[in-house]
Amino acid sequence: MKLSRVCGLGSILALAGGQPFAIQAAATPAGPVAVESDGQVLEEVFVTARKRSESLQDAPISITAFSASDLESRSINGLVDVARFTPNVTIQSNPGNGSSTSVAAVYIRGVGQDDFAPTLEPGVGIYVDGVYLARSVGALLDVLDIESLEVLRGPQGTLFGRNTIGGAINITTKKPDDHFSGFAEAAVGDDQRINGRFALNVPLTDSLFGRLTIGSFNQDGYVERLAGGDDLGDDSTLTGRLALRWLASDRLELNLSVDATRDRETG
């Protein structure tokens, strides 16, 4: 089967009364605050699950937060891997008869939805930079250039709206900044696995910055169908994201991003 997804996002950040606020449910990357005790350092994690930056210990929500370094150190390459490090969370691919590994079946505390039909809503909301992914098809994202990821357990309808009865997964991607930087990674493995990731951050002007991210994931299937001779369970995914950030003034910041994913596979 063939699956494609294109998603656009625009957001505005402003200052009111000297305090910043965001018109989106974005997650703040985990920020360490060193507290030394007997020669050990304890890192304090800040989250924005309630649309404001606060300490994880002060937030009255059951949250599991991952920074970019946390995701890398735990070898979390996709959303399905998050469940291995998060209590009361189950994330499955290819639910029911979906025959696609890009279909997400997310359960938090037993609440979720395994039917991929477009007429049904998921029981756990997935948000990327505040944008809600309304269908489970294509929602099993690859972890690509992510700044932070928060798993919120329990109903989140007050701040996140409908379809968050079981909870919400709040993903924040990396924003462009004023430093010229980037990275490139490659991985090879069994069944002709060849994966690659690339990101480039470019300051276009003193106030306009851009960031391009591309990922390619390819692997032959691990099951051989004797009747047809082809492989089942293969993967051929190409994904990309372009983000622009404009610091219009000291009181106004504009962010625009667009991403697309093409997934070609045999169920």
Side-chain angles (χ1 to χ4, degrees):
M1 65 179 295
K2 297 182 180 180
L3 172 69
S4 62
R5 177 179 63 86
V6 178
C7 175
L9 165 66
S11 65
I12 300 178
L13 302 182
L15 293 178
Q19 298 296 327
F21 72 94
I23 314 177
Q24 62 180 32
T28 297
V33 176
V35 179
E36 295 186 4
S37 177
D38 299 332
Q40 298 181 350
V41 177
L42 177 64
E43 292 187 352
E44 186 175 4
V45 178
F46 289 89
V47 297
T48 56
R50 296 197 296 168
K51 299 188 179 182
R52 65 189 184 201
S53 181
E54 59 185 340
S55 172
L56 179 60
Q57 293 180 325
D58 297 333
I61 304 174
S62 179
I63 305 173
T64 299
F66 300 92
S67 65
S69 58
D70 293 333
L71 297 172
E72 183 178 0
S73 63
R74 289 167 172 79
S75 298
I76 297 178
N77 299 314
L79 193 61
V80 68
D81 298 327
V82 174
R84 295 189 287 114
F85 304 96
T86 309
N88 308 122
V89 175
T90 301
I91 302 178
Q92 301 173 341
S93 64
N94 193 17
N97 296 319
S99 71
S100 173
T101 57
S102 64
V103 178
V106 183
Y107 295 85
I108 297 181
R109 294 176 176 172
V111 180
Q113 176 63 263
D114 66 346
D115 197 329
F116 65 95
T119 55
L120 299 177
E121 305 282 358
V124 174
I126 300 178
Y127 298 82
V128 179
D129 290 336
V131 176
Y132 173 57
L133 303 184
R135 295 295 179 267
S136 60
V137 177
L140 200 63
L141 306 175
D142 296 299
V143 175
L144 184 66
D145 211 20
I146 289 180
E147 184 68 26
S148 65
L149 186 150
E150 297 175 354
V151 179
L152 287 61
R153 291 182 287 274
Q156 305 296 325
T158 301
L159 294 177
F160 286 88
R162 58 179 294 185
N163 305 324
T164 55
I165 299 175
I169 298 179
N170 195 21
I171 301 173
T172 301
T173 60
K174 291 185 178 180
K175 288 185 178 182
D177 55 35
D178 57 350
H179 294 87
F180 184 83
S181 60
F183 69 86
E185 298 178 355
V188 297
D190 295 337
D191 298 322
Q192 298 186 11
R193 175 193 177 192
I194 302 177
N195 293 350
R197 299 196 307 166
F198 168 82
L200 180 64
N201 187 93
V202 179
L204 303 175
T205 66
D206 293 339
S207 59
L208 180 62
F209 320 119
R211 189 176 185 90
L212 175 65
T213 307
I214 299 175
S216 178
F217 309 94
N218 303 274
Q219 188 173 19
D220 289 344
Y222 52 87
V223 177
E224 182 180 355
R225 185 168 61 177
L226 299 180
D230 53 346
D231 293 333
L232 305 180
D234 61 329
D235 184 20
S236 178
T237 302
L238 179 63
T239 181
R241 181 175 184 270
L242 177 63
L244 295 175
R245 181 186 180 195
W246 180 34
L247 303 180
S249 67
D250 295 337
R251 302 173 61 86
L252 180 63
E253 177 182 327
L254 302 178
N255 289 279
L256 174 66
S257 64
V258 58
D259 68 84
T261 299
R262 187 198 68 187
D263 195 355
R264 295 178 176 177
E265 59 184 19
T266 303

